[in-house]
Amino acid sequence: EAGVAQSPRYKIIEKRQSVAFWCNPISGHATLYWYQQILGQGPKLLIQFQNNGVVDDSQLPKDRFSAERLKGVDSTLKIQPAKLEDSAVYLCASSLMGLANTEAFFGQGTRLTVV
Amino acid sequence: DAKTTQPPSMDCAEGRAANLPCNHSTISGNEYVYWYRQIHSQGPQYIIHGLKNNETNEMASLIITEDRKSSTLILPHATLRDTAVYYCIVNPDTGNQFYFGTGTSLTVIP
């Protein structure tokens, strides 16, 4: 079974530029998550989708971050404009459904460096 | 929004059992306890989860106290490849959110 696919693996941009990350979840998984992991910290949930609807985006900095999952399958996370403090690993995860007894599977992440 | 408390770091001798504790004193009736681990430069990996009963799979055992206020993840025979950060997560009974804390950094020593 293919896992969660993310691209790119690495990205370096200058501050104030924009950047986008792509995620393809495990086939059939209705729930998709984006996390931000700053060095030395645990992953922070940014947004959770159930199919193409947003379940939780309470920790998403909406002035600069946006995410979409138009067809309920793959998803993109965008940052515009980027700041130095956005340097982090961005992780995508998916789960079969939004029930409390369903584990989430994570991708390898995209490492973003803002200079 | 992490509702768990874990020691920041632990060591374990290779071949011995690693017992990782977690306190979740505010857990409510239908919330599950999940354990994930994260090896350096990789995404978090699911290990095990449970509600009330003890659970065991090919990776680990999960022991949940009767009052459900704490749990212990047991790696029965730790290897060097088990060196990682281990996260204990209480999963809300609505929405299946996973809120990570800072976890326990486990180092397996040869």
Side-chain angles (χ1 to χ4, degrees):
Chain A
E1 176 181 274
V4 176
Q6 291 189 247
S7 67
R9 283 299 310 275
Y10 306 93
K11 188 75 176 179
I12 301 175
I13 62 172
E14 295 182 349
K15 59 184 179 183
R16 291 187 289 274
Q17 285 187 322
S18 62
V19 64
F21 313 123
W22 175 81
C23 172
N24 192 24
I26 293 172
S27 177
H29 280 197
T31 305
L32 184 146
Y33 313 80
W34 282 104
Y35 285 83
Q36 178 194 59
Q37 187 170 25
I38 294 172
L39 187 64
Q41 300 180 16
K44 172 186 171 183
L45 178 64
L46 294 177
I47 189 167
Q48 177 188 0
F49 291 95
Q50 179 78 9
N51 296 307
N52 60 351
V54 175
V55 174
D56 181 1
D57 63 356
S58 58
Q59 298 190 95
L60 185 73
K62 299 180 183 63
D63 57 334
R64 298 185 299 107
F65 286 64
S66 64
E68 60 183 15
R69 192 185 186 201
L70 293 176
K71 296 182 179 179
V73 181
D74 56 352
S75 175
T76 56
L77 176 70
K78 297 179 182 178
I79 308 175
Q80 182 179 9
K83 294 184 176 182
L84 296 177
E85 58 260 38
D86 298 331
S87 294
V89 175
Y90 290 85
L91 295 159
C92 180
S94 69
S95 67
L96 188 59
M97 60 186 70
L99 299 177
N101 61 349
T102 308
E103 65 266 34
F105 298 89
F106 284 77
Q108 293 279 61
T110 296
R111 182 176 298 276
L112 173 68
T113 303
V114 183
V115 298
Chain B
D1 285 9
K3 299 192 292 184
T4 62
T5 304
Q6 299 178 253
S9 63
M10 293 180 63
D11 292 338
C12 177
E14 187 178 17
R16 303 296 293 268
N19 297 284
L20 293 94
C22 179
N23 286 323
H24 32 78
S25 58
T26 61
I27 194 169
S28 63
N30 293 322
E31 292 181 322
Y32 282 74
V33 178
Y34 275 75
W35 283 84
Y36 278 80
R37 73 180 182 184
Q38 189 171 26
I39 296 170
H40 183 62
S41 297
Q42 297 183 19
Q45 177 191 22
Y46 166 79
I47 301 174
I48 198 167
H49 72 283
L51 182 62
K52 298 178 182 177
N53 300 320
N54 298 336
E55 302 286 345
T56 296
N57 63 20
E58 65 278 6
M59 290 183 67
S61 294
L62 173 60
I63 309 298
I64 302 174
T65 58
E66 190 170 347
D67 63 6
R68 303 210 324 121
K69 292 185 177 181
S70 66
S71 61
T72 301
L73 178 74
I74 301 172
L75 307 178
H77 305 287
T79 71
L80 299 180
R81 288 177 294 179
D82 293 322
T83 292
V85 177
Y86 287 76
Y87 296 98
C88 171
I89 299 167
V90 171
N91 187 294
D93 55 2
T94 57
N96 207 41
Q97 281 94 21
F98 297 91
Y99 297 108
F100 289 76
T102 52
T104 296
S105 178
L106 174 69
T107 301
V108 179
I109 302 169

